[in-house]
Amino acid sequence: MPSVIVVGGQWGDEGKGSIIAYLAQHDEPEVIARGGVGTNAGHSVYIHGVKYAVRQLPTGFMQRKARLLVGAGVLVDPEVFFHELEHLKPFDVEKRVGIDYRCTIIELAHRELDRTNSHLHGKIGTTGSGCGPANADRVMRKARQVKDIKELEPYLTDVAQEVNDALDEGKLVLIEGTQGFGLSLYFGSYPYVTSKDTSASAIASDVGVGPTRIDDVIVVFKSFPTRVGAGPFPTEMPEEEADRLGLVEYGTVTGRRRRVGWFDFDFARYSARINGATMLAITMLDKYDKEALGVTDYDKLPKRAKEFIEEIEDKVGVPVALIRTGPELEHIIDLRENI
Ligand code: GTP
Ligand code: IMP
Ligand code: MG
């Protein structure tokens, strides 16, 4: 049974949430572990027309057989954690959730600093979720950890041990990345980046899995990349163009309007390479070609949409395994058997 990591290949909000939700339901992993920075990320999924957004817990929450884990590298905001336990009550998450006892805590002071500091808020345009300041305190070795918070005690676990045990037992483990490669502290457009590396290697490390134990890395790209906050975006289009093409989106966490651009093949190649992609997932194909909306069979895609997918495979050099053609969970083409 393989271990699979799903990461964003652009600047976040590629629709990783909806890819993860599909894999969680279709592949039935027994363990779903979340890596990444922390509550700065928002993943949203529609289930039977109802929108669920998660910033702390794994996006695969709807798979009722799965243990839901938050890796040691992920920042934990207790307020957000308890809010999500409540929000996801219909899915019986409470008894399935485990947070690594070593996770760093986001304090109120971290959030305040993130929202008021002229460098973070003003220049970088952070999400204000307190992630940067909390990571800074961890590096200074003065941050509190999950094990220091009494209310979190019922959820404490050793995620690294659970995930490695599951792999030893041949169970399927789905590992969720957050943000996107372009926001990596090392490989992104520094200083307009988040407070940590966001590549697949970092996500594996967040949950305590060594590089030799990862079987597949799925890098997710959206047909029109978006970026929120400041920083270079070479293929960005004017706002009016995004309006005209019906591409306007707003952030899940901050509600900010996302900047929109044309697909950047060179960047996608770089991203797939450093992430060690074995497969690609392309989302929002229906935004590229309206005729693609809801198509679930590759052969039935319109010619223009197929040519776009082929161009991506050709220029990036990695096969496209999953294609999303609409907002509902069943709007997907799964080509993994052909790879
Ligand atoms: P990640 O942070 O990468 O998980 O993305 P996100 O969840 O932040 O993105 P966003 O908040 O923009 O939510 C994505 C939304 O787009 C979800 O409601 C999905 O149901 C929807 N979506 C996902 N894939 C597609 C697609 O192929 N076409 C369309 N039209 N919508 C999609
Ligand atoms: P921070 O991660 O809150 O420090 O924000 C740093 C930069 O990363 C800002 O440009 C944010 O808009 C961006 N960012 C962080 N997390 C996400 C995400 O999940 N989606 C999109 N952008 C993000
Ligand atoms: Mg998002």
Side-chain angles (χ1 to χ4, degrees):
M1 276 293 197
S3 55
V4 180
I5 295 191
V6 179
V7 288
Q10 291 151 327
W11 289 272
D13 308 319
E14 297 90 353
K16 292 178 292 297
S18 64
I19 292 290
I20 292 163
Y22 170 74
L23 296 174
Q25 292 190 312
H26 183 271
D27 296 2
E28 303 187 353
E30 289 179 66
V31 172
I32 305 179
R34 178 168 171 148
V37 184
T39 51
N40 48 353
H43 302 290
S44 52
V45 268
Y46 277 91
I47 304 173
H48 306 307
V50 181
K51 182 174 171 171
Y52 295 90
V54 283
R55 295 170 52 193
Q56 184 78 77
L57 297 179
T59 318
F61 62 83
M62 72 295 292
Q63 176 46 264
R64 289 168 189 269
K65 293 180 204 160
R67 181 99 171 110
L68 302 173
L69 302 174
V70 179
V74 180
L75 300 163
V76 170
D77 184 328
E79 221 173 90
V80 178
F81 174 77
F82 285 112
H83 170 78
E84 288 185 9
L85 279 191
E86 195 61 32
H87 178 53
L88 301 179
K89 245 196 177 128
F91 299 90
D92 261 344
V93 294
E94 184 154 4
K95 56 177 186 287
R96 301 190 281 125
V97 164
I99 325 177
D100 197 287
Y101 63 93
R102 293 159 286 207
C103 293
T104 302
I105 293 290
I106 299 175
E107 313 277 355
L108 178 62
H110 294 140
R111 292 201 301 260
E112 278 173 3
L113 184 62
D114 208 9
R115 283 171 196 168
T116 52
N117 182 275
S118 64
H119 176 70
L120 293 173
H121 176 75
K123 181 178 173 189
I124 309 295
T126 66
T127 59
S129 51
C131 289
N135 269 334
D137 272 356
R138 180 71 184 233
V139 171
M140 293 300 284
R141 281 143 291 177
K142 59 184 194 188
R144 288 199 297 169
Q145 290 175 287
V146 157
K147 66 178 165 58
D148 303 322
I149 309 283
K150 199 167 171 306
E151 300 77 56
L152 292 173
E153 207 179 309
Y155 311 98
L156 291 200
T157 191
D158 183 335
V159 169
Q161 187 178 322
E162 280 203 45
V163 170
N164 282 285
D165 284 350
L167 291 173
D168 290 346
E169 290 162 26
K171 293 177 179 168
L172 175 61
V173 175
L174 178 60
I175 301 169
E176 306 183 1
T178 62
Q179 280 75 41
F181 180 70
L183 294 171
S184 163
L185 182 60
Y186 302 147
F187 305 108
S189 44
Y190 182 85
Y192 300 101
V193 291
T194 189
S195 50
K196 217 169 80 175
D197 181 23
T198 53
S199 69
S201 313
I203 305 299
S205 162
D206 286 337
V207 302
V209 177
T212 53
R213 302 208 83 180
I214 301 301
D215 297 291
D216 272 310
V217 174
I218 302 180
V219 177
V220 185
F221 295 114
K222 68 207 288 195
S223 60
F224 290 95
T226 57
R227 178 163 197 168
V228 277
F233 190 0
T235 61
E236 184 169 11
M237 63 176 77
E239 278 196 0
E240 309 77 62
E241 182 82 348
D243 287 333
R244 197 179 61 77
L245 295 172
L247 298 172
V248 181
E249 295 180 16
Y250 293 89
T252 313
V253 176
T254 58
R256 288 182 290 181
R257 181 174 163 140
R258 293 175 180 160
R259 300 156 64 193
V260 187
W262 301 97
F263 197 89
D264 185 337
F265 294 93
D266 291 336
F267 187 80
R269 187 176 174 82
Y270 166 53
S271 171
R273 191 165 195 218
I274 308 300
N275 276 302
T278 59
M279 303 179 200
L280 306 182
I282 308 298
T283 63
M284 318 278 172
L285 190 62
D286 54 306
K287 294 202 175 174
Y288 182 81
D289 185 334
K290 305 260 176 296
E291 299 294 310
L293 178 67
V295 173
T296 55
D297 177 351
Y298 187 81
D299 294 333
K300 296 200 173 124
L301 280 177
K303 185 160 171 281
R304 183 166 175 268
K306 273 191 196 155
E307 282 171 359
F308 180 54
I309 297 293
E310 282 161 19
E311 189 178 1
I312 293 174
E313 288 191 324
D314 185 44
K315 292 190 172 159
V316 177
V318 178
V320 171
L322 295 161
I323 302 169
R324 294 223 33 134
T325 58
E328 288 290 335
L329 279 177
E330 56 275 16
H331 294 159
I332 193 153
I333 303 173
D334 188 343
L335 299 165
R336 288 177 294 165
E337 275 191 359
N338 308 343
I339 288 169

Coordinates of all heavy atoms in Angstrom, one line a residue, residues 30-105:
E30 N -6.5 4.7 5.5 CA -6.8 4.5 7.0 C -6.2 5.6 7.8 O -6.7 5.8 8.9 CB -6.3 3.1 7.4 CG -7.1 2.0 6.8 CD -6.7 0.6 7.2 OE1 -6.8 0.3 8.4 OE2 -6.2 -0.1 6.3
V31 N -5.2 6.3 7.3 CA -4.6 7.4 8.0 C -4.5 8.6 7.1 O -4.0 8.4 5.9 CB -3.2 7.0 8.5 CG1 -2.5 8.2 9.1 CG2 -3.3 5.8 9.5
I32 N -5.0 9.7 7.6 CA -4.8 11.0 6.8 C -4.1 12.0 7.7 O -4.5 12.3 8.8 CB -6.2 11.5 6.4 CG1 -7.0 10.5 5.6 CG2 -6.0 12.8 5.5 CD1 -8.3 10.9 5.1
A33 N -2.9 12.4 7.3 CA -2.1 13.3 8.1 C -1.9 14.6 7.4 O -1.5 14.6 6.2 CB -0.8 12.6 8.4
R34 N -2.0 15.7 8.2 CA -1.8 17.0 7.6 C -0.4 17.6 8.0 O 0.0 17.5 9.2 CB -2.9 18.0 8.1 CG -2.8 19.4 7.6 CD -4.0 20.2 7.9 NE -3.8 21.6 7.7 CZ -4.7 22.5 7.2 NH1 -6.0 22.0 7.0 NH2 -4.5 23.7 7.0
G35 N 0.3 18.0 6.9 CA 1.5 18.7 7.2 C 1.3 20.2 6.8 O 0.2 20.7 6.8
G36 N 2.4 20.9 6.6 CA 2.3 22.4 6.2 C 2.5 23.3 7.3 O 2.8 22.9 8.5
V37 N 2.2 24.6 7.1 CA 2.5 25.6 8.0 C 1.6 25.6 9.2 O 2.0 25.4 10.4 CB 2.6 27.0 7.4 CG1 3.0 28.1 8.4 CG2 3.5 27.0 6.2
G38 N 0.3 25.9 9.0 CA -0.7 26.0 10.1 C -2.0 26.5 9.6 O -2.4 26.2 8.5
T39 N -2.6 27.4 10.5 CA -3.9 27.9 10.2 C -4.0 29.0 9.1 O -5.1 29.5 8.9 CB -4.6 28.4 11.5 OG1 -3.7 29.3 12.1 CG2 -4.9 27.2 12.4
N40 N -2.9 29.3 8.5 CA -2.9 30.3 7.4 C -3.5 29.7 6.2 O -4.0 30.4 5.3 CB -1.5 30.8 7.1 CG -0.5 29.6 7.0 OD1 -0.7 28.5 7.2 ND2 0.8 30.0 6.6
A41 N -3.6 28.3 6.1 CA -4.1 27.6 5.0 C -5.6 27.4 5.1 O -6.1 27.1 6.2 CB -3.5 26.3 4.8
G42 N -6.4 27.6 4.1 CA -7.8 27.2 4.1 C -8.1 26.3 2.9 O -7.7 26.6 1.8
H43 N -8.7 25.2 3.2 CA -9.1 24.3 2.1 C -10.6 24.2 2.2 O -11.1 23.9 3.3 CB -8.5 22.9 2.3 CG -7.0 22.8 2.4 ND1 -6.2 23.1 1.3 CD2 -6.2 22.6 3.4 CE1 -5.0 23.0 1.7 NE2 -4.9 22.7 3.0
S44 N -11.2 24.3 1.1 CA -12.7 24.2 1.1 C -13.2 23.1 0.2 O -12.6 22.9 -0.8 CB -13.4 25.5 0.8 OG -12.9 26.0 -0.4
V45 N -14.2 22.4 0.7 CA -14.8 21.3 -0.1 C -16.3 21.4 0.0 O -16.8 21.8 1.0 CB -14.4 19.9 0.4 CG1 -13.2 19.4 -0.3 CG2 -14.2 19.8 1.9
Y46 N -17.0 21.1 -1.1 CA -18.4 21.0 -1.1 C -18.9 19.6 -1.0 O -18.4 18.7 -1.7 CB -19.0 21.6 -2.4 CG -19.1 23.1 -2.4 CD1 -18.0 23.9 -2.8 CD2 -20.2 23.7 -1.9 CE1 -18.1 25.3 -2.8 CE2 -20.3 25.1 -1.8 CZ -19.2 25.9 -2.3 OH -19.3 27.2 -2.2
I47 N -19.7 19.3 0.0 CA -20.3 18.0 0.2 C -21.8 18.1 0.1 O -22.3 18.7 1.0 CB -19.8 17.3 1.5 CG1 -18.2 17.3 1.5 CG2 -20.3 15.9 1.6 CD1 -17.6 16.8 2.8
H48 N -22.4 17.5 -0.9 CA -23.8 17.6 -1.1 C -24.3 19.1 -1.0 O -25.2 19.4 -0.3 CB -24.6 16.7 -0.1 CG -24.1 15.3 -0.1 ND1 -24.1 14.6 -1.3 CD2 -23.7 14.5 0.9 CE1 -23.6 13.4 -1.0 NE2 -23.3 13.3 0.3
G49 N -23.5 19.9 -1.6 CA -23.9 21.3 -1.7 C -23.6 22.2 -0.5 O -23.8 23.4 -0.5
V50 N -23.0 21.5 0.6 CA -22.7 22.3 1.8 C -21.2 22.5 1.7 O -20.4 21.6 1.5 CB -23.1 21.6 3.1 CG1 -22.7 22.4 4.3 CG2 -24.5 21.2 3.1
K51 N -20.8 23.8 2.0 CA -19.3 24.1 2.0 C -18.7 23.9 3.4 O -19.2 24.4 4.4 CB -19.2 25.6 1.6 CG -17.7 26.0 1.5 CD -17.6 27.4 0.9 CE -16.1 27.9 1.1 NZ -15.9 29.1 0.3
Y52 N -17.6 23.2 3.4 CA -16.9 23.0 4.6 C -15.5 23.5 4.4 O -14.8 23.2 3.4 CB -16.8 21.5 5.0 CG -18.1 20.9 5.4 CD1 -18.9 20.3 4.4 CD2 -18.6 21.0 6.7 CE1 -20.1 19.8 4.7 CE2 -19.8 20.4 7.0 CZ -20.6 19.9 6.0 OH -21.8 19.4 6.3
A53 N -15.0 24.4 5.3 CA -13.6 24.9 5.2 C -12.8 24.5 6.4 O -13.3 24.6 7.5 CB -13.7 26.4 5.0
V54 N -11.6 24.0 6.1 CA -10.8 23.6 7.3 C -9.4 24.3 7.2 O -8.8 24.5 6.1 CB -10.5 22.1 7.4 CG1 -11.7 21.4 7.9 CG2 -10.1 21.5 6.0
R55 N -8.9 24.8 8.3 CA -7.6 25.4 8.4 C -6.7 24.7 9.3 O -5.5 25.0 9.3 CB -7.8 26.8 9.0 CG -8.7 27.7 8.1 CD -9.1 29.0 8.8 NE -7.9 29.7 9.4 CZ -8.0 30.7 10.3 NH1 -9.1 31.1 10.7 NH2 -6.9 31.2 10.8
Q56 N -7.2 23.7 10.1 CA -6.3 23.0 11.1 C -6.4 21.5 10.9 O -5.4 20.9 11.0 CB -6.8 23.4 12.5 CG -6.0 22.9 13.6 CD -4.7 23.7 13.8 OE1 -4.7 24.7 14.3 NE2 -3.6 23.1 13.3
L57 N -7.6 21.0 10.7 CA -7.7 19.5 10.6 C -7.5 19.1 9.2 O -7.6 19.9 8.2 CB -9.1 19.1 11.1 CG -9.4 19.5 12.6 CD1 -10.8 19.1 13.0 CD2 -8.4 18.8 13.5
P58 N -7.2 17.8 9.0 CA -7.1 17.3 7.6 C -8.3 17.5 6.8 O -9.5 17.3 7.3 CB -6.7 15.8 7.8 CG -6.2 15.7 9.2 CD -6.9 16.8 10.0
T59 N -8.1 17.7 5.5 CA -9.3 18.0 4.6 C -10.0 16.7 4.2 O -11.1 16.7 3.6 CB -8.8 18.6 3.3 OG1 -7.8 19.6 3.6 CG2 -9.9 19.3 2.5
G60 N -9.3 15.5 4.6 CA -10.0 14.2 4.3 C -10.9 13.8 5.4 O -11.3 12.6 5.5
F61 N -11.4 14.8 6.2 CA -12.3 14.5 7.3 C -13.5 13.6 7.0 O -14.0 12.9 7.9 CB -12.7 15.8 8.0 CG -13.5 16.7 7.2 CD1 -14.9 16.5 7.0 CD2 -12.9 17.7 6.4 CE1 -15.6 17.3 6.2 CE2 -13.6 18.5 5.6 CZ -15.0 18.3 5.5
M62 N -14.0 13.7 5.8 CA -15.2 13.1 5.4 C -15.1 11.5 5.3 O -16.0 10.8 5.2 CB -15.9 13.7 4.1 CG -15.2 13.4 2.8 SD -13.5 14.0 2.7 CE -13.8 15.8 2.7
Q63 N -13.8 11.1 5.2 CA -13.6 9.6 5.2 C -13.7 9.1 6.6 O -12.7 9.2 7.4 CB -12.2 9.3 4.6 CG -11.8 7.9 4.6 CD -12.9 6.9 4.1 OE1 -13.6 6.3 4.9 NE2 -13.0 6.8 2.8
R64 N -14.8 8.5 6.9 CA -15.1 8.1 8.3 C -14.3 7.0 8.9 O -14.2 6.8 10.1 CB -16.6 7.8 8.5 CG -17.5 9.0 8.3 CD -18.9 8.6 8.2 NE -19.7 9.8 7.9 CZ -20.3 10.6 8.8 NH1 -20.2 10.3 10.1 NH2 -21.0 11.6 8.4
K65 N -13.6 6.3 8.0 CA -12.8 5.2 8.5 C -11.4 5.6 8.9 O -10.6 4.9 9.4 CB -12.6 4.1 7.4 CG -13.8 3.4 7.0 CD -13.5 2.4 5.9 CE -14.7 2.1 5.1 NZ -14.4 1.5 3.7
A66 N -11.1 6.9 8.5 CA -9.7 7.3 8.6 C -9.4 8.0 10.0 O -10.2 8.7 10.5 CB -9.3 8.3 7.5
R67 N -8.2 7.7 10.5 CA -7.6 8.5 11.6 C -7.2 9.8 11.0 O -6.6 9.9 9.9 CB -6.4 7.7 12.1 CG -5.8 8.2 13.3 CD -6.2 7.6 14.6 NE -5.3 8.1 15.7 CZ -5.8 8.9 16.6 NH1 -7.0 9.3 16.7 NH2 -4.9 9.3 17.6
L68 N -7.4 10.9 11.7 CA -7.1 12.3 11.2 C -6.0 12.9 12.1 O -6.2 13.2 13.3 CB -8.4 13.1 11.3 CG -9.6 12.6 10.5 CD1 -10.8 13.5 10.8 CD2 -9.4 12.6 9.0
L69 N -4.9 13.0 11.5 CA -3.7 13.5 12.3 C -3.1 14.8 11.9 O -3.2 15.2 10.7 CB -2.6 12.4 12.2 CG -3.0 11.0 12.6 CD1 -1.9 10.0 12.3 CD2 -3.3 11.0 14.1
V70 N -2.6 15.5 12.8 CA -1.9 16.8 12.5 C -0.4 16.6 13.0 O -0.1 16.4 14.1 CB -2.6 18.0 13.3 CG1 -1.8 19.3 13.1 CG2 -4.0 18.1 13.0
G71 N 0.5 16.7 12.0 CA 1.9 16.4 12.2 C 2.6 17.4 13.1 O 2.2 18.6 13.2
A72 N 3.7 17.0 13.6 CA 4.5 17.8 14.6 C 5.0 19.1 14.0 O 5.2 20.1 14.8 CB 5.7 17.0 15.0
G73 N 5.1 19.2 12.7 CA 5.6 20.4 12.1 C 4.5 21.5 11.9 O 4.8 22.6 11.5
V74 N 3.3 21.1 12.2 CA 2.2 22.1 11.9 C 1.9 22.9 13.2 O 1.9 22.4 14.3 CB 0.9 21.3 11.6 CG1 -0.3 22.2 11.3 CG2 1.2 20.4 10.3
L75 N 1.7 24.2 13.0 CA 1.3 25.1 14.1 C -0.2 24.9 14.4 O -1.0 24.7 13.6 CB 1.5 26.5 13.6 CG 2.9 26.9 13.2 CD1 2.8 28.2 12.4 CD2 3.8 27.1 14.4
V76 N -0.4 24.9 15.7 CA -1.8 24.6 16.2 C -2.3 25.9 16.9 O -1.7 26.4 17.9 CB -1.8 23.4 17.1 CG1 -3.2 23.3 17.8 CG2 -1.5 22.1 16.3
D77 N -3.5 26.3 16.5 CA -4.2 27.4 17.2 C -5.4 26.7 17.9 O -6.4 26.3 17.2 CB -4.7 28.4 16.1 CG -5.4 29.6 16.8 OD1 -6.0 29.4 17.9 OD2 -5.3 30.7 16.3
P78 N -5.4 26.6 19.2 CA -6.4 25.9 19.9 C -7.8 26.4 19.6 O -8.8 25.6 19.5 CB -6.1 26.1 21.4 CG -4.6 26.3 21.4 CD -4.3 27.1 20.1
E79 N -8.0 27.7 19.4 CA -9.3 28.2 19.1 C -9.8 27.7 17.8 O -11.0 27.3 17.7 CB -9.2 29.8 19.0 CG -10.3 30.5 19.6 CD -10.0 32.0 19.6 OE1 -10.4 32.7 18.7 OE2 -9.4 32.5 20.6
V80 N -9.0 27.7 16.8 CA -9.4 27.2 15.5 C -9.7 25.7 15.6 O -10.6 25.1 15.0 CB -8.3 27.5 14.4 CG1 -8.7 26.9 13.0 CG2 -8.1 29.0 14.3
F81 N -8.8 25.0 16.3 CA -9.0 23.5 16.5 C -10.4 23.2 17.0 O -11.1 22.3 16.5 CB -7.9 23.0 17.4 CG -8.0 21.5 17.7 CD1 -7.7 20.5 16.8 CD2 -8.5 21.1 19.0 CE1 -7.8 19.2 17.1 CE2 -8.6 19.8 19.3 CZ -8.3 18.8 18.4
F82 N -10.7 23.8 18.1 CA -12.0 23.5 18.8 C -13.2 24.0 17.9 O -14.2 23.3 17.9 CB -12.1 24.1 20.2 CG -11.2 23.3 21.2 CD1 -10.1 23.9 21.7 CD2 -11.6 22.0 21.5 CE1 -9.3 23.1 22.6 CE2 -10.8 21.3 22.4 CZ -9.7 21.8 22.9
H83 N -13.0 25.1 17.2 CA -14.1 25.5 16.3 C -14.3 24.4 15.2 O -15.4 24.1 14.9 CB -13.7 26.8 15.6 CG -14.6 27.2 14.5 ND1 -15.8 27.8 14.7 CD2 -14.4 27.1 13.2 CE1 -16.4 28.0 13.6 NE2 -15.6 27.6 12.6
E84 N -13.2 23.9 14.7 CA -13.4 22.9 13.6 C -14.0 21.6 14.1 O -14.7 20.9 13.4 CB -12.1 22.7 12.9 CG -11.8 23.9 12.0 CD -10.6 23.8 11.1 OE1 -10.0 22.7 11.0 OE2 -10.2 24.8 10.6
L85 N -13.6 21.2 15.3 CA -14.2 20.0 15.9 C -15.8 20.1 15.9 O -16.5 19.2 15.6 CB -13.8 19.8 17.4 CG -12.4 19.1 17.6 CD1 -12.3 18.8 19.1 CD2 -12.2 17.9 16.8
E86 N -16.2 21.3 16.2 CA -17.6 21.6 16.3 C -18.2 21.7 14.9 O -19.3 21.0 14.6 CB -17.8 23.0 17.0 CG -19.2 23.4 17.4 CD -19.7 22.5 18.5 OE1 -18.9 21.9 19.3 OE2 -21.0 22.2 18.5
H87 N -17.6 22.4 14.0 CA -18.0 22.6 12.6 C -18.1 21.2 11.9 O -19.0 21.0 11.1 CB -16.9 23.4 11.9 CG -17.1 23.7 10.4 ND1 -18.3 24.2 9.9 CD2 -16.3 23.5 9.4 CE1 -18.1 24.4 8.6 NE2 -16.9 23.9 8.3
L88 N -17.3 20.3 12.2 CA -17.2 19.0 11.5 C -17.9 17.9 12.3 O -17.7 16.7 12.0 CB -15.8 18.6 11.2 CG -15.0 19.6 10.4 CD1 -13.6 19.1 10.1 CD2 -15.7 19.8 9.0
K89 N -18.7 18.3 13.3 CA -19.4 17.3 14.2 C -20.2 16.2 13.3 O -20.2 15.0 13.7 CB -20.4 18.0 15.1 CG -19.9 17.8 16.5 CD -21.0 18.1 17.6 CE -20.4 17.8 18.9 NZ -20.5 18.9 19.8
P90 N -20.9 16.7 12.2 CA -21.6 15.7 11.5 C -20.8 14.5 11.0 O -21.3 13.5 10.6 CB -22.2 16.5 10.3 CG -22.1 17.9 10.7 CD -21.0 18.0 11.7
F91 N -19.4 14.7 11.0 CA -18.6 13.6 10.4 C -17.9 12.9 11.6 O -16.9 12.1 11.3 CB -17.5 14.3 9.5 CG -18.1 14.9 8.3 CD1 -18.5 16.3 8.4 CD2 -18.4 14.2 7.2 CE1 -19.1 16.9 7.3 CE2 -19.0 14.8 6.1 CZ -19.4 16.2 6.1
D92 N -18.3 13.1 12.8 CA -17.8 12.3 13.9 C -16.2 12.4 14.0 O -15.6 11.4 14.1 CB -18.1 10.8 13.7 CG -19.3 10.4 14.6 OD1 -19.6 11.2 15.5 OD2 -19.9 9.4 14.3
V93 N -15.7 13.6 13.9 CA -14.3 13.7 13.8 C -13.6 13.6 15.2 O -12.5 13.1 15.3 CB -13.8 15.0 13.2 CG1 -14.2 15.1 11.7 CG2 -14.3 16.2 13.9
E94 N -14.3 13.9 16.2 CA -13.7 14.1 17.5 C -12.9 12.9 18.0 O -11.8 13.0 18.4 CB -14.7 14.5 18.6 CG -14.0 14.8 19.9 CD -14.7 15.8 20.8 OE1 -15.9 16.2 20.4 OE2 -14.2 16.1 21.9
K95 N -13.5 11.7 17.8 CA -12.8 10.5 18.3 C -11.7 10.0 17.3 O -11.0 9.0 17.6 CB -13.8 9.4 18.6 CG -14.7 9.0 17.5 CD -15.6 7.8 18.0 CE -16.5 7.3 16.9 NZ -17.6 8.2 16.5
R96 N -11.6 10.6 16.1 CA -10.6 10.2 15.2 C -9.4 11.1 15.1 O -8.5 10.8 14.4 CB -11.3 10.1 13.8 CG -12.5 9.1 13.7 CD -13.0 8.9 12.3 NE -13.8 10.0 11.8 CZ -13.5 10.6 10.6 NH1 -12.4 10.3 10.0 NH2 -14.3 11.5 10.2
V97 N -9.5 12.2 15.8 CA -8.5 13.2 15.6 C -7.3 13.0 16.6 O -7.5 12.7 17.8 CB -9.1 14.6 15.9 CG1 -8.0 15.7 16.2 CG2 -9.9 15.1 14.8
G98 N -6.1 13.2 16.1 CA -4.9 13.2 16.9 C -3.9 14.3 16.5 O -3.7 14.5 15.3
I99 N -3.4 15.0 17.5 CA -2.4 16.1 17.2 C -1.1 15.7 17.8 O -1.1 15.2 19.0 CB -2.8 17.5 17.9 CG1 -4.3 17.7 17.9 CG2 -2.1 18.6 17.1 CD1 -4.6 19.0 18.6
D100 N -0.1 15.9 17.1 CA 1.3 15.5 17.7 C 1.5 16.4 18.9 O 1.3 17.6 18.8 CB 2.3 15.7 16.6 CG 3.6 15.0 17.0 OD1 4.3 15.5 17.9 OD2 3.9 13.9 16.4
Y101 N 2.0 15.8 19.9 CA 2.3 16.5 21.2 C 3.4 17.6 21.0 O 3.5 18.5 21.9 CB 2.6 15.6 22.3 CG 3.9 14.8 22.2 CD1 5.1 15.2 22.7 CD2 3.9 13.6 21.5 CE1 6.3 14.5 22.5 CE2 5.1 12.8 21.3 CZ 6.2 13.3 21.8 OH 7.4 12.6 21.6
R102 N 4.1 17.5 19.9 CA 5.3 18.4 19.8 C 4.9 19.7 18.9 O 5.7 20.5 18.7 CB 6.4 17.7 19.1 CG 7.0 16.6 19.9 CD 7.8 15.6 19.1 NE 6.9 14.7 18.4 CZ 7.2 13.4 18.1 NH1 8.3 12.9 18.3 NH2 6.3 12.7 17.4
C103 N 3.7 19.7 18.4 CA 3.3 20.9 17.6 C 3.4 22.2 18.4 O 3.2 22.2 19.6 CB 1.8 20.8 17.2 SG 1.4 19.5 16.1
T104 N 3.8 23.2 17.6 CA 3.9 24.6 18.2 C 2.6 25.2 18.4 O 1.7 25.1 17.4 CB 4.8 25.4 17.3 OG1 6.1 24.8 17.2 CG2 5.0 26.8 17.9
I105 N 2.4 25.9 19.5 CA 1.1 26.6 19.7 C 1.1 28.1 19.1 O 2.1 28.8 19.3 CB 0.8 26.7 21.2 CG1 0.5 25.3 21.8 CG2 -0.4 27.7 21.5 CD1 -0.8 24.7 21.3

